[in-house]
Amino acid sequence: MPASAGNLDRMRRDLASAARALKDADSVRIVTHIDADGISAGAIADMTAERLGIERTVCFEKKITEEVVKEVNGRREDLVWICDLGSGYLSEFDRDSLIITDHHVPDPRWMKSQTVLDSFSGMHHLNPHTYGMDGTTEVCGAGMTYLLSKECDPSNSDMAYLAVVGAVGDFQDSAASALVGLNRTILQDAVANGDVVVEEDLRFFGRETRPLNQYLQFSSDPRIPGLSENAQGCLEFLDSLGIRGKSNGRWRVWNDLSRDEKDRAIERILDMADPSDRQRAHGEMYLLPNMPRGTGLRDAKEFATILNSSGRYDDADTGLRICRGDMTALQDADRNRAEHRRHISSAMSYIKDNHLLRQRRFIQWFDAGSEVKETVVGIVAGMVLSSGECVRNIPIIAFADSDDGVKVSARADRSLVDKGLDLSSVMKTAAELVGGYGGGHTVAAGATIPPDKKEEFLDIVEDIVSSQVD
Ligand code: C5P
Ligand code: ZN
């Protein structure tokens, strides 16, 4: 959905007006999301305010709750700047000086009540949806935050690579196997200043840090028959191509391979892949050449996972320090990443071994109870959906216990969105009908509901999904 010239003009005007508000402030409270996009966005906002000489504090939130709304409305700082959150709950905010740089589906109640007077108020809402763009592929929370940062000072384009990490962290490159729309413009900034190199490569996870055998064996999105979960198959594959797996007794990583070795391996892997999976298996990958080798920070996808594994384990500050260039935070990040890996792998086995996945006609679902953290259940739901265990042509809904009820995560294949599915409205409507709240994106959304309402909630979700995709 290319943005029209009129929409882009409106966005430029809104960015300029938000930049003026920011420059006029002496103090700002930055509120941001705990995922990779949110941490990148928070870091960009933090450094932007720092460079403007504004007194600032950063706080991370898992989601917008009533308490967060109250806190935002009551803060005494000149300005509150919410990144990668907030749009879904716009009508709840009543403070006068607020900037939101987000890409979640905006609160429909706010859209309806918006009047021409709003453009004179102190509310600066910067969201791709309001400019006719797609918030799941064209620009993310970190991207919108970056655009405002660059509007404040063009030299802030040295932070473009963080917006690339945020976009990849939110899977904005998945549909086209490349960044598109405004993300592409931001990518060009990062390339122009030498922070990112665009490479055509396999799109499996772990190019920089996974031992070569595991890199191939754990390829799951898409699965490659003969390699995925086939340790022996991977060794034989490398052997048959004459590619050494180890060097000086240590496993090589994919990015250690020469161009010629990679080309030979890619050609064979694409032959082995199901033809419908080839586009997903191969495409653009983003290398961060100025980052230290062996840390995972040299690949945008792995960088995003490092941020995710900090934020989702109550340690978003470590992610923030990394984005600010503090390499001493990497030790903490390694610990978080090991914990993340363990948690995800035990969550996947728990769901599989206990046959928790249930199918209904229009949805499939599982209840992870207290076995999976509420901050991770969405990632797990996405992995179950793309694993062989599951059908892809209906959405997946996952439950996990949380302090304030039951956390719900919903994920769907993008092809369903083309048929009319919008999980954001499904989660918002169904959650509100059972006394909860929710929102998100068309392909990935979430909610929190009362613990005794799961069945009723699933019935409503199924009803809405069936009416959307009919
Ligand atoms: O938590 P989960 O990863 O499932 O969230 C998917 C998307 O939905 C995220 O972008 C999240 O910010 C959004 N969400 C929301 N409101 C909620 C829960 C999740 O907007 N109550
Ligand atoms: Zn985001």
Side-chain angles (χ1 to χ4, degrees):
M1 191 195 329
S4 71
N7 272 330
L8 284 176
D9 274 351
R10 208 155 45 79
M11 185 178 82
R12 275 189 210 109
R13 276 201 302 277
D14 291 349
L15 283 168
S17 136
R20 276 195 300 276
L22 192 57
K23 285 178 177 172
D24 281 347
D26 289 324
S27 56
V28 60
R29 170 72 160 178
I30 296 162
V31 178
T32 192
H33 199 195
I34 49 135
D35 71 1
D37 184 26
I39 297 173
S40 317
I44 295 170
D46 183 40
M47 289 188 275
T48 305
E50 181 180 36
R51 291 173 185 185
L52 286 170
I54 303 173
E55 212 179 285
R56 76 231 188 261
T57 50
V58 181
C59 111
F60 291 94
E61 298 290 352
K62 286 183 202 157
K63 56 199 173 196
I64 298 283
T65 59
E66 247 171 69
E67 288 81 71
V68 175
V69 170
K70 247 189 238 152
E71 155 96 4
V72 165
N73 287 337
R75 290 301 297 193
R76 287 161 174 267
E77 284 85 349
D78 292 345
L79 194 62
V80 175
W81 183 357
I82 309 180
C83 307
D84 191 35
L85 280 175
S87 292
Y89 305 84
L90 275 175
S91 53
E92 316 274 329
F93 298 111
D94 61 11
R95 67 175 291 131
D96 194 34
S97 45
L98 180 65
I99 294 177
I100 293 178
T101 43
D102 189 12
H103 65 132
H104 290 93
V105 176
D107 184 350
R109 281 184 288 264
W110 181 83
M111 302 276 267
K112 266 191 215 119
S113 67
Q114 207 189 3
T115 67
V116 73
L117 279 180
D118 284 330
S119 43
F120 297 102
S121 80
M123 152 80 99
H124 301 272
H125 180 229
L126 297 158
N127 182 310
H129 293 270
T130 60
Y131 308 114
M133 287 176 235
D134 180 343
T136 66
T137 54
E138 295 191 67
V139 66
C140 61
M144 290 311 288
T145 307
Y146 168 74
L147 292 177
L148 177 54
S149 174
K150 193 178 163 197
E151 179 68 31
C152 290
D153 185 342
S155 70
N156 286 341
S157 65
D158 63 343
M159 293 188 269
Y161 78 92
L162 289 175
V164 169
V165 169
V168 167
D170 263 4
F171 297 96
Q172 299 220 315
D173 57 335
S174 296
S177 290
L179 288 171
V180 298
L182 272 182
N183 279 326
R184 192 98 209 141
T185 315
I186 296 169
L187 173 66
Q188 278 156 2
D189 284 356
V191 170
N193 56 37
D195 286 329
V196 172
V197 174
V198 179
E199 299 183 324
E200 287 289 327
D201 204 348
L202 276 186
R203 284 177 45 81
F204 297 164
F205 181 80
R207 303 193 301 159
E208 276 288 321
T209 61
R210 266 193 178 161
L212 196 48
N213 57 336
Q214 295 182 13
Y215 173 80
L216 297 171
Q217 188 186 334
F218 295 151
S219 53
S220 61
D221 188 18
R223 295 169 57 78
I224 306 295
L227 295 181
S228 304
E229 288 169 47
N230 184 345
Q232 189 57 29
C234 293
L235 295 180
E236 286 167 9
F237 171 82
L238 291 171
D239 231 24
S240 72
L241 288 172
I243 295 174
R244 275 178 306 113
K246 291 186 179 174
S247 162
N248 297 327
R250 292 188 55 173
W251 276 104
R252 301 166 81 195
V253 298
W254 179 252
N255 275 356
D256 288 336
L257 267 55
S258 68
R259 188 67 252 176
D260 172 61
E261 286 176 317
K262 272 194 180 183
D263 286 344
R264 279 187 288 134
I266 291 172
E267 190 183 352
R268 182 81 66 83
I269 288 171
L270 294 182
D271 270 348
M272 293 160 82
D274 188 288
S276 65
D277 285 338
R278 283 185 193 140
Q279 194 253 348
R280 252 179 332 128
H282 184 250
E284 283 188 2
M285 292 294 278
Y286 306 106
L287 181 83
L288 280 59
N290 303 325
M291 294 294 162
R293 276 184 193 284
T295 57
L297 298 181
R298 280 172 71 89
D299 174 73
K301 236 182 213 299
E302 289 195 67
F303 194 134
T305 299
I306 291 172
L307 299 184
N308 260 323
S309 51
S310 293
R312 294 178 191 268
Y313 296 84
D314 298 320
D315 190 22
D317 279 322
T318 290
L320 180 69
R321 282 164 59 207
I322 290 173
C323 290
R324 289 181 54 92
D326 174 1
M327 293 301 143
T328 64
L330 275 172
Q331 265 182 350
D332 295 327
D334 275 348
R335 209 189 42 237
N336 290 334
R337 194 148 54 137
E339 168 70 19
H340 187 46
R341 228 176 274 141
R342 262 196 307 275
H343 187 59
I344 297 270
S345 122
S346 76
M348 293 295 284
S349 320
Y350 177 73
I351 292 153
K352 193 172 165 185
D353 298 348
N354 293 294
H355 308 285
L356 294 187
L357 189 67
R358 301 266 183 280
Q359 278 209 11
R360 290 179 168 214
R361 183 148 169 236
F362 290 101
I363 55 172
Q364 53 201 327
W365 64 279
F366 65 85
D367 185 352
S370 56
E371 289 293 317
V372 179
K373 281 171 86 75
E374 63 155 316
T375 48
V376 179
V377 70
I379 296 183
V380 173
M383 291 176 78
V384 174
L385 185 64
S386 58
S387 74
E389 312 292 317
C390 198
V391 290
R392 289 183 78 111
N393 62 350
I394 51 177
I396 186 165
I397 313 293
F399 295 117
D401 298 346
S402 90
D403 290 346
D404 53 350
V406 170
K407 170 71 205 312
V408 188
S409 278
R411 298 289 187 274
D413 193 81
R414 212 164 268 279
S415 59
L416 287 175
V417 174
D418 300 335
K419 292 187 183 151
L421 182 76
D422 174 5
L423 286 178
S424 162
S425 76
V426 174
M427 285 297 112
K428 193 171 187 72
T429 311
E432 285 178 4
L433 284 170
V434 298
Y437 57 92
H441 307 288
T442 47
V443 282
T448 299
I449 59 168
D452 54 342
K453 298 283 184 181
K454 288 183 226 173
E455 276 301 318
E456 190 183 334
F457 177 79
L458 284 172
D459 291 343
I460 301 171
V461 167
E462 186 161 35
D463 255 10
I464 310 177
V465 168
S466 70
S467 71
Q468 289 185 343
V469 295
D470 249 4

